[in-house]
Amino acid sequence: MTTTNRIMVVDGMALLFRAFYATAMSNYYMINSKGTPTNAVYGMVKHLFTAIETYQPTHVVCCWDMGSQTFRNDLFPDYKANRGAPPEELIPQFDLAKEVVESLNIPNVGQVGYEADDCMGTLSRLYSEHSQVFLLTGDQDLLQLLQPNVHVVLLKKGYGNYAEYHQDSFYEEKGITPSQMVDLKALMGDSSDNYPGVKGIGEKTALKLLMEHQTIEGILENLDKLTKGQRTKIEQDLEMLHLSRQLARINCEADVNCSLEDALFYIDDEKMEAKFNELEFRNWKKNLVRI
């Protein structure tokens, strides 16, 4: 069954950070006459417009983290504790980014205590019952959300370069199903999110174990078939294994919603132009892709 709605759910944080670091490396912050840096917001809009031009969605929603404390920190206080504070040039751009998104008539969605990933997962479950969903992100964690109607579009270097994943192509490439991604991360941990998984088990071993035994439960039921080293590592880190799985799983029951009516993609040119000019976006008519 084909559906006419094509809903793009955007990871606002991923686009904003990517755009910031692409220009900050050369100290190009695009500071306007008010002293406000705008490089991240400008680049985010370019990423957004390029993706919209490529995928032609009928509806667009943008999801955000709402502060650094989430339910995962309650489970594991060291979760993401390795992340430093954002650069000072980026801090004022968080609110600006949401203002710009709002000026494009795109809803901003977020929920305190949850990450943008959780909001994206929740919305993808709601929308995929009746629509094609495209999750635009730079974060491979979202691959666990792949379903027949849910595609993940990963940003690659530059503008307009994507790795697009479907449920079937993911299995062909990785050898495991999207839902097994959660157990994979539980076993091998995630250094960027700062949780260890099972010490001494890397991606190669974790993939092999999941291909043989399907799930963590399957592995635990067959400990006697594992090598002595694998068995010892898992038994020693059993508690952390279960905790890591809770941290790795995207929560698709965040308290967020956004009606299709609100998400319908329609730009009011005057509203957009006023915002872009207020922020003193340079050459935006030429450089920002218009749909």
Side-chain angles (χ1 to χ4, degrees):
M1 175 183 142
T2 56
T3 52
T4 50
N5 290 333
R6 293 167 63 84
I7 306 176
M8 180 168 280
V9 184
V10 178
D11 183 342
M13 286 296 184
L15 269 61
L16 194 66
F17 272 88
R18 180 173 290 255
F20 178 81
Y21 286 110
T23 49
M25 300 297 282
S26 52
N27 288 323
Y28 184 58
Y29 296 113
M30 290 175 63
I31 294 166
N32 64 20
S33 65
K34 301 178 192 77
T36 308
T38 59
N39 64 319
V41 183
Y42 191 96
M44 182 197 78
V45 173
K46 188 165 181 180
H47 276 302
L48 185 61
F49 279 175
T50 305
I52 288 169
E53 188 175 57
T54 303
Y55 287 96
Q56 296 290 311
T58 53
H59 300 72
V60 183
V61 182
C62 195
C63 293
W64 300 93
D65 294 344
M66 302 292 280
S68 57
Q69 289 295 309
T70 69
F71 72 91
R72 291 181 180 85
N73 299 100
D74 298 334
L75 291 170
F76 185 57
D78 284 340
Y79 180 74
K80 289 192 177 179
N82 54 338
R83 307 268 178 110
E88 62 179 280
E89 294 88 355
L90 179 56
I91 292 169
Q93 298 191 66
F94 289 124
D95 287 339
L96 278 186
K98 289 177 192 164
E99 288 174 24
V100 166
V101 167
E102 197 274 327
S103 80
L104 301 172
N105 288 332
I106 295 171
N108 288 305
V109 173
Q111 172 67 23
V112 174
Y114 292 88
E115 294 180 47
D117 288 6
D118 302 311
C119 299
M120 294 177 78
T122 301
L123 292 177
S124 77
R125 291 286 180 270
L126 290 171
Y127 296 149
S128 63
E129 290 177 21
H130 49 69
S131 306
Q132 289 283 341
V133 180
F134 297 84
L135 302 175
L136 179 67
T137 182
D139 187 351
Q140 297 217 9
D141 289 353
L142 271 83
L143 293 169
Q144 64 183 266
L145 298 173
L146 287 166
Q147 287 196 19
N149 264 4
V150 179
H151 311 266
V152 173
V153 178
L154 290 177
L155 295 158
K156 294 175 78 176
K157 196 170 180 180
Y159 291 97
N161 299 317
Y162 310 106
E164 187 182 338
Y165 285 90
H166 310 260
Q167 192 175 36
D168 294 342
S169 65
F170 176 84
Y171 183 78
E172 284 163 21
E173 182 178 325
K174 305 281 188 185
I176 56 173
T177 64
S179 59
Q180 284 176 297
M181 276 278 290
V182 180
D183 286 8
L184 178 70
K185 286 191 66 179
L187 285 160
M188 61 183 273
D190 185 327
S191 57
S192 71
D193 286 343
N194 204 44
Y195 59 87
V198 177
K199 281 191 190 72
I201 289 194
E203 184 174 15
K204 199 172 166 185
T205 303
L207 274 170
K208 185 169 177 284
L209 291 172
L210 286 172
M211 285 175 188
E212 285 173 16
H213 306 292
Q214 309 310 314
T215 61
I216 284 170
E217 285 72 25
I219 293 168
L220 296 178
E221 283 163 17
N222 291 282
L223 281 176
D224 56 329
K225 293 180 181 155
L226 272 51
T227 67
K228 187 166 182 258
Q230 290 167 351
R231 180 176 177 169
T232 304
K233 286 168 187 167
I234 289 170
E235 285 176 338
Q236 282 177 345
D237 262 339
L238 204 52
E239 198 177 327
M240 183 49 77
L241 174 64
H242 289 301
L243 177 58
S244 294
R245 179 154 65 167
Q246 283 181 277
L247 299 172
R249 180 175 284 120
I250 290 174
N251 186 324
C252 293
E253 292 175 8
D255 186 19
V256 294
N257 202 345
C258 180
S259 71
L260 286 182
E261 191 181 4
D262 287 341
L264 192 64
F265 181 63
Y266 168 73
I267 286 180
D268 177 332
D269 286 339
E270 282 183 23
K271 192 174 169 186
M272 176 185 73
E273 186 163 343
K275 193 67 189 175
F276 286 5
N277 288 339
E278 177 199 327
L279 292 176
E280 299 169 28
F281 278 179
R282 293 176 206 146
N283 300 321
W284 64 264
K285 288 182 183 175
K286 187 175 76 175
N287 294 335
L288 294 182
V289 178
R290 278 294 285 117
I291 296 83

